[in-house]
Amino acid sequence: MLQSPEGFMIEYALKLDFLTTNNEAEYEALIAGLGLARAVRAKNLKVCGDSRLIVAQVNGEFEAKDDTMAKYLRVVKGILTQFDEWYAQHVPREENTTADALSQFASSEIDNYPRSIYFQVLKTPTIHVINLIAPVGVARCWIDPIKTHLETGWLPDDAQEARKLSVTTLRYSLIEGLLYKRSFIIPYLKCLRPLEAEDALKEAHEGICGQHLRGRALTHKITRFGFYWPTMLADAKAYVKNVTDARGTHQ
């Protein structure tokens, strides 16, 4: 849960789809919250957590002796350097009923969650993927020219294409090397490559949702999970049609 200086509240639930300890889950939630704060361009941060141990480690009062915990702590410390000011405070769970309700929601099998809540499923521990670089064999796609322009200022030689790219990139941001689309929906939407988009379509249609959706509803669900690619509506409609046709063939 994130609160802006103006009092605007963003409710965010994270479901961990892998085996983890309670302390590791606390770190995953903290990293997700810090990423959300980065996405909304927060400068000064107050972190409230119900784990006294994690708060103490982040504040430097306790050491993280376990190797996994030490890795998580290094990731958190690295992200915190990107804020002007921050401090962490322990808040007992019973004193933060909203956050407790979100944690209960994320661990449940609720399909029709409230639209005000941003919900994401994490398949892999953050410490296993945060420093990975995309394999050389990954095919270039729509993401690459936008990302290259934001990183280096590169523009195509063709004047018309250069203007088009300059305008397009105004709608995107790079956060820790990943491309996000700026949106009226908060947090920003993580941009997906084609193979990632295929996985998102399949999981949203048959996995996380627990129900079969039509094209627009499927697109909306994926957006609520925080993902984006330019052809998502057309791809969602095509995916639903293919699934429907396949079922009809097997009936």
Side-chain angles (χ1 to χ4, degrees), residues 21 23 44 70 76-77 79 90 104 119 197 199 206 224-226:
T21 66
N23 287 332
N44 303 308
V76 168
K77 290 288 191 180
I79 299 174
H90 174 251
Q104 295 298 319
F119 178 50
D199 290 341
E206 299 176 354
R224 299 304 298 182
F225 291 158

Side-chain angles (χ1 to χ4, degrees), residues 2 35 37 39 50 88 110 116 146 172 187 192 196 200 203 207 214:
L2 179 72
D50 58 34
I110 300 173
S116 62
I146 299 174
Y172 294 87
L192 299 186
E196 295 173 320
E203 188 161 357
R214 296 184 182 276

Side-chain angles (χ1 to χ4, degrees), residues 43-46 83-87:
K43 297 296 184 182
N44 303 308
L45 198 64
K46 175 184 177 182
F83 296 94
D84 293 343
E85 295 183 8
W86 65 268
Y87 72 97

Side-chain angles (χ1 to χ4, degrees), residues 161-180:
E161 290 298 319
R163 285 194 297 270
K164 182 179 177 181
L165 181 60
S166 296
V167 172
T168 298
T169 53
L170 295 176
R171 301 193 293 269
Y172 294 87
S173 294
L174 272 178
I175 302 175
E176 297 173 10
L178 299 176
L179 188 67
Y180 289 81

Side-chain angles (χ1 to χ4, degrees), residues 3 13 15 30 34 39 73 76-77 108 110 113 115 119-120 129 137 147 151 158 214 216 220-221 223 247:
Q3 184 173 10
K15 185 180 182 71
L30 174 55
L34 294 177
L73 182 57
V76 168
K77 290 288 191 180
S108 69
I110 300 173
Y113 53 88
R115 292 190 175 188
F119 178 50
Q120 188 172 0
V129 300
K147 186 176 178 181
E151 289 176 331
D158 182 86
R214 296 184 182 276
R216 285 191 178 278
H220 176 75
K221 187 70 71 171
T223 301
R247 285 182 186 156

Side-chain angles (χ1 to χ4, degrees), residues 105-131:
F105 161 79
S107 62
S108 69
E109 297 297 330
I110 300 173
D111 295 325
N112 299 317
Y113 53 88
R115 292 190 175 188
S116 62
I117 297 177
Y118 298 93
F119 178 50
Q120 188 172 0
V121 176
L122 195 62
K123 292 288 188 180
T124 307
T126 304
I127 57 174
H128 291 174
V129 300
I130 197 164
N131 292 320

Side-chain angles (χ1 to χ4, degrees), residues 17 53 88 121 213 225 240 243:
D17 195 16
L53 174 63
V121 176
L213 303 173
F225 291 158
V240 171
V243 171

